[in-house]
Amino acid sequence: MIKIRGLHKSFGALEVLKGIDLHVQPGEVVVIIGPSGSGKSTLLRCINRLEKLTSGQIIVDDYDINDRKTDINLIRTEAGMVFQQFNLFPHMTALKNVTLGPVKVRGIPRREAEALGMELLEKVGLKDKAHVFPDQLSGGQKQRVAIARSLALKPKVMLFDEPTSALDPELVGEVLEVMKTLAKEGMTMVVVSHEMGFAREVADRVIFMDEGVIVEENTPRELFANPRNERTISFLSKVRSPIE
Amino acid sequence: MAGHFNFKASVIWESIPILLVGIKYTIFITIFGLVIGFCLGAVAGLARTSRNPIFYRMAGFYIESIRGTPLMVQVMFLYFGLPLALNARIPPLAAGIGAIAINSGAYIAEIVRGSIQSIDRGQMEAGRSIGLTHVKTMLYIIWPQAFRRMIPPLGNQFIISLKDTSLLVVIGVGELTRTGQEIIAANFRAFEVWLTVAVMYLVLTMTIAKVLRMLERRLEIR
């Protein structure tokens, strides 16, 4: 579904990604963990070309995203993105947020799009908030609307960029629930997250990144139980809460 | 003779109907000038947010040259100077509207640029991430949010431009100030007439301010 080869990304003189190779299979859930500044978010943002690659190749669903012939707007509908800061459109109701893509990108008639929108809002448990503006929603509700907004384009992959990092602790669960449901339905997902519990429960594979490279990858069970690299061991010991 | 000034209220009542004709011109010039000025300002303001260096510099030249020169000079250049080069007369009213449009456009461009740049970057990214093109994201996501933020400074510009129309007196457009001048030329009652003119401007600007406040409040509620 996603094939990344030799990906490098620099911001000016600062090299953030130093040669990433990663394949994601259809239906796979990959969770990327790592310290801040390790390039996790940048990697995710390269996949739908919110950041331009410096060198290397990314293939999404058989399309080379750096090829001039590829319609990047099409790729972006295939790879839905969920942001840490939600980025809902504040001047539109929840339903409008969800239907904008189908109507303006896909050209679906408004009524049909609204039926789809209601269905998706119901799926994320927010059918009753359809006509509410974002400023009247909690963080968790906003993020669920944002997920519905991405799903409205029927993407083949969902990219999550720290989807729960801006949420109050008691609101994290409702967002993770929605993500778990998606994973169970067979959605291909790449998730940058600090939620180790989620990774353990849902991920097929966990990737540990540090300083622009993939240091270690494995099944969550193996990676959390027997980390091999010293940097992984040190990181995991820092993020593990004392209770675990 | 000093010290023998006597206020004549009747002068005020007599001049009001004549001044009202001038007010019509003032309002007409302001509205048309600002509508065109907004179009100019929107284009120049968008160009200022563009990564295209040609658009960016052209808009910069326009904004800087207008903001850096007095409106009075712009008006006289447009009405007395330019026709010589073009070998064609520009009617005073058209020159007046044009001057207000070009002048306000430069200031509105900065309002537009600032409002657009004040919208969080995440909005553009979210728009692009659902597959909207740059233009469509601007149209449906950025512009509607930016426009709301433009309203208070645009209201301010409305009031400034309205007062600026008084400078058109130098090219003889029959707006409010010019009308006042003509009345005084006939009756020499400068105190009463200029007082009336001033109050009329004040009523106009206060009305605009009030309408704008109502509009802002309505938009806040949404």
Side-chain angles (χ1 to χ4, degrees):
Chain A
M1 184 60 65
I2 304 175
K3 293 189 192 108
I4 302 173
R5 273 186 227 120
L7 169 63
H8 287 256
K9 169 68 188 173
S10 302
F11 293 104
L14 180 71
E15 193 174 29
V16 180
L17 297 176
K18 301 167 183 168
I20 300 280
D21 293 282
L22 176 67
H23 285 208
V24 180
Q25 302 303 320
E28 197 180 12
V29 177
V30 174
V31 171
I32 305 175
I33 58 171
S36 55
S38 57
K40 316 180 291 283
S41 289
T42 308
L43 170 59
L44 207 63
R45 293 163 59 85
C46 282
I47 296 175
N48 73 349
R49 228 177 72 185
L50 280 179
E51 303 290 353
K52 274 193 185 145
L53 330 182
T54 306
S55 68
Q57 192 183 40
I58 298 181
I59 311 264
V60 177
D61 191 28
D62 294 332
Y63 294 98
D64 182 340
I65 66 154
N66 233 12
D67 191 330
R68 282 181 172 276
K69 278 174 275 174
T70 304
D71 177 3
I72 191 60
N73 295 312
L74 183 78
I75 299 297
R76 287 182 176 139
T77 63
E78 306 264 298
M81 181 89 159
V82 174
F83 300 89
Q84 184 178 352
Q85 297 298 336
F86 330 126
N87 295 346
L88 286 185
F89 308 132
H91 59 304
M92 296 178 183
T93 61
L95 183 61
K96 266 268 178 131
N97 265 275
V98 178
T99 56
L100 186 74
V103 172
K104 301 297 182 193
V105 178
R106 295 263 198 255
I108 293 172
R110 183 165 302 277
R111 206 167 288 165
E112 225 173 283
E114 278 174 4
L116 170 70
M118 289 309 286
E119 200 180 295
L120 288 168
L121 285 174
E122 187 169 14
K123 181 176 184 157
V124 299
L126 291 170
K127 201 180 174 189
D128 56 324
K129 301 286 185 190
H131 302 292
V132 164
F133 285 90
D135 60 0
Q136 286 160 43
L137 297 173
S138 73
Q141 291 170 335
K142 279 184 197 163
Q143 195 60 299
R144 287 187 280 153
V145 173
I147 292 171
R149 177 176 69 182
S150 287
L151 291 175
L153 292 146
K154 307 209 160 89
K156 294 186 174 153
V157 190
M158 285 286 281
L159 309 171
F160 292 87
D161 188 4
E162 303 201 26
T164 57
S165 299
L167 297 177
D168 291 337
E170 77 272 20
L171 302 177
V172 169
E174 62 192 61
V175 173
L176 293 182
E177 260 334 292
V178 170
M179 290 170 65
K180 277 178 206 168
T181 310
L182 277 181
K184 271 183 212 141
E185 289 171 2
M187 175 65 79
T188 310
M189 291 163 63
V190 182
V191 185
V192 169
S193 180
H194 296 299
E195 297 295 331
M196 298 299 156
F198 175 81
R200 186 171 297 133
E201 194 180 332
V202 181
D204 297 306
R205 192 154 41 118
V206 176
I207 287 173
F208 173 68
M209 274 182 77
D210 193 17
E211 292 179 359
V213 293
I214 292 176
V215 175
E216 191 169 348
E217 57 178 300
N218 216 326
T219 60
R221 182 192 290 263
E222 266 304 299
L223 191 100
F224 291 136
N226 304 306
R228 289 182 205 136
N229 191 291
E230 243 169 70
R231 282 191 276 176
T232 319
I233 296 168
S234 143
F235 176 76
L236 287 175
S237 71
K238 273 178 221 157
V239 294
R240 273 200 180 130
S241 66
I243 317 162
E244 283 187 62
Chain B
M1 268 183 289
H4 284 203
F5 171 74
N6 55 338
F7 183 76
K8 263 176 88 178
S10 64
V11 172
I12 293 177
W13 309 127
E14 284 158 18
S15 52
I16 282 177
I18 311 167
L19 290 173
L20 283 177
V21 178
I23 273 194
K24 269 190 216 158
Y25 275 92
T26 295
I27 294 172
F28 181 79
I29 294 165
T30 308
I31 289 175
F32 270 80
L34 280 175
V35 166
I36 301 167
F38 183 74
C39 298
L40 286 172
V43 171
L46 283 168
R48 280 309 262 180
T49 67
S50 159
R51 262 186 253 164
N52 182 320
I54 299 167
F55 292 163
Y56 181 84
R57 293 222 181 104
M58 271 171 52
F61 175 75
Y62 164 57
I63 294 166
E64 291 311 321
S65 53
I66 295 302
R67 292 202 308 176
T69 53
L71 175 58
M72 176 90 89
V73 175
Q74 292 163 17
V75 170
M76 292 199 286
F77 178 75
L78 195 65
Y79 184 66
F80 298 115
L82 211 54
L84 296 178
L86 297 175
N87 202 17
R89 248 182 69 84
I90 301 175
L93 188 62
I97 292 173
I100 294 295
I102 292 167
N103 183 269
S104 66
Y107 292 92
I108 292 171
E110 286 293 273
I111 294 171
V112 168
R113 180 194 60 78
S115 304
I116 285 174
Q117 287 176 345
S118 76
I119 303 299
D120 185 68
R121 254 188 56 165
Q123 291 291 311
M124 175 56 85
E125 290 185 350
R128 298 308 303 271
S129 81
I130 59 169
L132 291 171
T133 59
H134 183 90
V135 172
K136 280 186 176 174
T137 309
M138 271 308 224
L139 197 62
Y140 301 125
I141 314 285
I142 309 295
W143 183 265
Q145 293 182 59
F147 187 71
R148 243 175 241 182
R149 295 190 188 175
M150 287 175 210
I151 288 171
L154 280 178
N156 200 29
Q157 184 60 42
F158 196 162
I159 290 170
I160 292 171
S161 288
L162 183 117
K163 292 188 293 177
D164 280 350
T165 57
S166 67
L167 284 174
L168 300 179
V169 78
V170 297
I171 59 170
V173 179
E175 41 66 58
L176 181 54
T177 302
R178 176 72 179 191
T179 314
Q181 216 176 33
E182 280 166 359
I183 296 170
I184 292 161
N187 68 8
F188 303 106
R189 305 300 302 196
F191 183 85
E192 290 86 347
V193 175
W194 284 132
L195 182 69
T196 314
V197 168
V199 169
M200 283 184 165
Y201 275 115
L202 197 59
V203 169
L204 279 178
T205 53
M206 279 167 58
T207 310
I208 295 168
K210 192 154 198 187
V211 169
L212 281 164
R213 234 173 293 136
M214 272 162 52
L215 190 67
E216 275 170 46
R217 220 170 299 147
R218 182 171 296 183
L219 279 172
E220 250 167 63
I221 304 161
R222 213 182 261 109

